[in-house]
Amino acid sequence: MESPAATFTLAYVVLAVCFVFPPNEFHLAGVMVQNLLGSWLGSEDVAFIQYHLCWGTSTLLAHAFLPLSYYIGMCFAAPEKQLCSFYQISEGWKVFFFLAVLAPTVAGILASYWSQNGWSNHPLVKTISLYALPQSDWRAVASSINTEFRRIDSFATGAPGARVIVTDTWIMKVTTYCLHIAQQWDIYLTVVDSRQHELLPDSNMPAQFLTICVASVNPNVKTFDIRLNSAEYGELREKLHAPIHNAANVEVEKEVAKGGSSGEGS
């Protein structure tokens, strides 16, 4: 028979992985940071940029507390280890406890630094500040992005932890901790990878997934990759102003690429 400590460890690891990388069941049940802290985060539709400033920071904090939560749980699941008495535990558990306390401490310091001066220290704010006019600041750019996001003709695809959003002016990738963003007018797009999936869980149909590198001519804007089903490739190209260059070793299926070859380089 498994010990209570082993059972708790297994259950906690499963729940922690599902919390960090939530499956569809967790989305439906609302067991995610954006659901648990919905009243504080506000509405993504109303204030897209401000929402993701808070969401990324709160997600980082929530995940940083997972090791410490496990340690506290083990204090009750395995009382024989005497984990509540720091000086009586083994060296291995002392190291784990130190790291478990260090993680939320560092995350808390980072979150505090980011939020100072109206989030002016946050990496996302520094990125969009690059696009601000001399007489304005990042809030004007954020307001423009918020307005474009609310439009019904914006392109959006992907899972919550890797969502791709394209508006008239911007291309964005929403990840677990941050929002990558670049202005369409100064980006260089390249198809860098293609992967075949025999069957998709939701459609039981084979699919090709493309990875597209988004690089800005501005060296201060970080390069990022977006990934999407090739069935959406045509729709993406219609929304983009910049051409998509195709790496020599990547083939986009003909039935996907049809609809005009304009805007695609070699």
Side-chain angles (χ1 to χ4, degrees):
M1 181 179 294
E2 293 185 353
S3 65
T7 302
F8 172 77
T9 299
L10 179 60
Y12 192 89
V13 168
V14 171
L15 289 174
V17 170
C18 290
F19 186 65
V20 176
F21 308 102
N24 291 333
E25 290 76 12
F26 269 52
H27 287 290
L28 294 174
V31 187
M32 296 184 299
V33 174
Q34 58 265 49
N35 297 108
L36 300 175
L37 300 177
S39 58
W40 179 69
L41 294 177
S43 172
E44 184 183 49
D45 293 330
V46 174
F48 178 81
I49 292 296
Q50 289 80 355
Y51 175 89
H52 283 280
L53 287 172
C54 297
W55 177 31
T57 304
S58 58
T59 300
L60 177 65
L61 283 168
H63 292 175
F65 272 100
L66 289 174
L68 184 58
S69 299
Y70 170 74
Y71 186 92
I72 295 173
M74 282 293 291
C75 290
F76 299 95
E80 70 279 1
K81 296 182 182 294
Q82 297 182 316
L83 298 181
C84 294
S85 179
F86 181 78
Y87 295 102
Q88 297 184 32
I89 60 177
S90 65
E91 290 300 319
W93 277 109
K94 286 181 180 179
V95 172
F96 182 87
F97 178 77
F98 172 76
L99 296 176
V101 172
L102 180 64
T105 301
V106 172
I109 293 173
L110 190 60
S112 176
Y113 170 72
W114 283 347
S115 62
Q116 287 178 1
N117 301 318
W119 296 97
S120 61
N121 296 325
H122 196 282
L124 173 58
V125 169
K126 291 183 177 180
T127 297
I128 64 177
S129 294
L130 299 171
Y131 301 104
L133 297 175
Q135 65 273 21
S136 63
D137 62 6
W138 70 270
R139 293 175 181 82
V141 182
S143 178
S144 176
I145 297 172
N146 295 343
T147 300
E148 289 194 16
F149 176 75
R150 289 194 293 268
R151 293 175 183 168
I152 60 174
D153 61 341
S154 61
F155 172 85
T157 186
R163 190 157 51 118
V164 178
I165 302 169
V166 183
T167 68
D168 292 337
T169 309
W170 306 93
I171 180 168
M172 300 174 280
K173 177 183 178 182
V174 178
T175 65
T176 303
Y177 301 115
C178 62
L179 172 68
H180 299 280
I181 186 169
Q183 197 172 55
Q184 285 209 46
W185 312 114
D186 61 3
I187 58 174
Y188 188 88
L189 299 154
T190 307
V191 180
V192 295
D193 189 32
S194 172
R195 302 209 173 189
Q196 296 288 340
H197 288 246
E198 294 299 327
L199 293 175
L200 290 180
D202 54 348
S203 65
N204 292 323
M205 295 288 290
Q208 178 191 31
F209 282 87
L210 304 173
T211 300
I212 301 174
C213 176
V214 181
S216 174
V217 296
N218 189 329
N220 295 315
V221 177
K222 291 184 178 180
T223 299
F224 59 94
D225 292 337
I226 61 174
R227 188 170 181 264
L228 75 158
N229 191 320
S230 57
E232 301 168 306
Y233 183 67
E235 185 181 354
L236 173 67
R237 286 194 308 174
E238 291 178 0
K239 194 64 182 176
L240 292 171
H241 302 296
I244 302 178
H245 299 270
N246 199 338
N249 60 336
V250 175
E251 294 184 2
V252 181
E253 296 175 359
K254 292 182 179 180
E255 61 271 20
V256 173
K258 69 181 180 180
S261 58
S262 61
E264 187 174 338
S266 57

